[in-house]
């Protein structure tokens, strides 16, 4: 399954009993608005997963704004929602894939390869003439067997990589926040020393869909040069939009980068860590 699916392809797959659609709409400023919008109308049969409650672990003030749950907890969530390794999961949102990419990456993180993001999200679905309703597919709970989990990096590993100079950190935040300007989400403005900036919205074209693979490949190569994609570390403010960059790299055929889930919100919680402001 491709990591992106068009509205036309999703419509054609509607009769597939293995298909599970997940609505990931969210608003950082109004965290309950996504679920409210889902209850009002969504792609037929879509489940809902909340960024804070389902796709993040509890915060403790030192682990960032959207810390990852443990792989075991996430597998339990999937099973409780009736999702098994046999299902094809399609995630969507109304923000260019900003939140859907988080679920896509988390599925891949626990070894679920049959996962994709609806390219263009809810807008593309509506433009194609896709229906909306309030029905929810009732999936019986199951056990989700946890297999091999892809490794992520913690703050100590990122710090070690900065000291060794062997890896490149890519920050997905908007350029002004990367520079330390107009910071509204975290208590400290700035970025991790040595990081380069690739705003996640640059992955999206004027039509609201991901740019073609060759365009993304050229843009990313301009940023990273001849580096092996496996030497890249993706981060952002809280480990959410970094997943969008990971998805773009996958589309571009440049897979292998790792995620620093804690990202800037975790990094800046310890004043002893080096920061560029």
């Amino acid at each position: 399954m491709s990591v992106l699916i068009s509205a036309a392809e999703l419509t054609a797959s509607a009769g597939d009993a293995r298909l599970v659609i997940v609505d990931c709409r969210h608003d950082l400023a109004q965290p309950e608005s996504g679920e409210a919008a889902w209850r009002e109308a969504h792609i037929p049969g879509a489940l809902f997963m909340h960024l804070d409650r389902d796709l993040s672990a509890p915060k403790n003030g030192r682990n960032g704004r959207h810390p990852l749950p443990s792989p075991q907890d996430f597998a339990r969530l999937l099973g409780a929602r009736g999702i098994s390794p046999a299902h094809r999961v399609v995630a969507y949102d109304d923000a260019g894939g900003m939140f859907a990419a988080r679920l896509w990456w988390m599925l891949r993180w626990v070894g679920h390869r049959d996962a994709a993001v609806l390219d263009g999200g809810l807008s593309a679905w509506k433009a194609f003439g896709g229906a909306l309703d309030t029905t929810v597919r009732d999936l019986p709970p199951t056990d989700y067997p946890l297999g091999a989990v892809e490794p992520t990096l913690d703050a100590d590993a990122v710090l070690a990589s900065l000291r060794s100079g062997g890896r490149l950190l890519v920050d997905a935040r908007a350029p002004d926040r990367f520079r330390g300007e107009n910071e509204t989400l975290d208590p400290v403005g700035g970025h991790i020393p040595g990081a380069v900036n690739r705003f996640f919205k640059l992955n999206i074209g004027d039509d609201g869909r991901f740019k073609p693979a060759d365009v993304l490949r050229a843009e990313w190569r301009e940023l990273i040069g001849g580096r092996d994609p496996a030497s890249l570390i993706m981060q952002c403010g809280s480990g959410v939009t970094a997943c969008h960059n990971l998805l773009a790299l996958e589309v571009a055929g440049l897979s292998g980068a790792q995620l620093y889930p804690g990202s800037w919100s975790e990094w800046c919680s310890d004043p002893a860590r080096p920061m560029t402001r």
Side-chain angles (χ1 to χ4, degrees):
M1 186 178 187
S2 171
V3 297
L4 294 177
I5 185 171
S6 69
E9 291 169 328
L10 184 57
T11 299
S13 300
D16 187 348
R18 296 179 301 119
L19 178 67
V20 176
I21 302 172
V22 182
D23 189 318
C24 298
R25 281 179 284 177
H26 190 77
D27 186 330
L28 294 173
Q30 301 179 63
E32 300 310 316
S33 64
E35 186 171 16
W38 167 76
R39 292 188 184 281
E40 184 175 332
H42 51 254
I43 294 176
L47 311 179
F48 181 80
M49 288 193 184
H50 195 285
L51 175 63
D52 296 331
R53 295 196 307 269
D54 300 321
L55 305 182
S56 302
K59 296 180 285 187
N60 61 22
R62 307 284 284 184
N63 59 354
R65 285 184 282 108
H66 294 107
L68 276 182
S70 70
Q72 294 78 12
D73 284 346
F74 183 54
R76 279 192 286 270
L77 170 74
L78 294 175
R81 298 299 180 85
I83 297 173
S84 76
H87 283 111
R88 306 176 66 206
V89 182
V90 174
Y92 77 91
D93 59 32
D94 58 357
M98 176 179 177
F99 304 108
R102 168 80 166 207
L103 175 57
W104 168 84
W105 179 87
M106 289 179 68
L107 288 163
R108 305 266 291 198
W109 173 51
V110 297
H112 195 113
R113 312 302 292 182
D114 210 356
V117 168
L118 175 59
D119 199 10
L122 193 59
S123 295
W125 178 259
K126 292 177 179 178
F128 184 72
L132 296 177
D133 66 19
T134 59
T135 63
V136 179
R137 183 179 176 187
D138 186 18
L139 295 175
T142 186
D143 289 326
Y144 193 99
L146 187 63
V149 177
E150 293 187 5
T152 60
L153 300 173
D154 60 16
D156 289 340
V158 172
L159 184 59
S161 74
L162 295 181
R163 290 171 175 164
S164 68
R167 306 188 71 174
L168 180 64
L169 197 64
V170 181
D171 190 322
R173 293 176 298 163
D176 57 341
R177 291 185 63 213
F178 177 77
R179 293 190 299 266
E181 304 166 3
N182 305 318
E183 181 58 68
T184 59
L185 296 173
D186 295 309
V188 180
H191 61 263
I192 300 173
V196 297
N197 187 215
R198 166 73 182 189
F199 187 25
F200 79 95
K201 288 187 178 180
L202 293 177
N203 300 320
I204 302 297
D206 293 338
D207 61 355
R209 296 172 174 81
F210 275 77
K211 294 175 180 176
D214 58 340
V215 174
L216 286 172
R217 188 178 306 113
E219 292 180 356
W220 276 92
R221 276 298 178 199
E222 184 177 358
L223 179 71
I224 68 174
R227 286 178 176 269
D228 182 346
S231 71
L232 304 178
I233 301 171
M234 297 293 122
Q235 55 99 180
C236 54
S238 64
V240 175
T241 58
C243 296
H244 198 281
N245 275 351
L246 284 162
L247 177 57
L249 284 167
E250 195 73 19
V251 173
L254 299 171
S255 58
Q258 286 183 288
L259 177 68
Y260 167 36
S263 289
W264 178 251
S265 57
E266 177 187 66
W267 187 270
C268 73
S269 69
D270 185 347
R273 296 187 183 116
M275 305 179 200
T276 298
R277 302 179 181 175

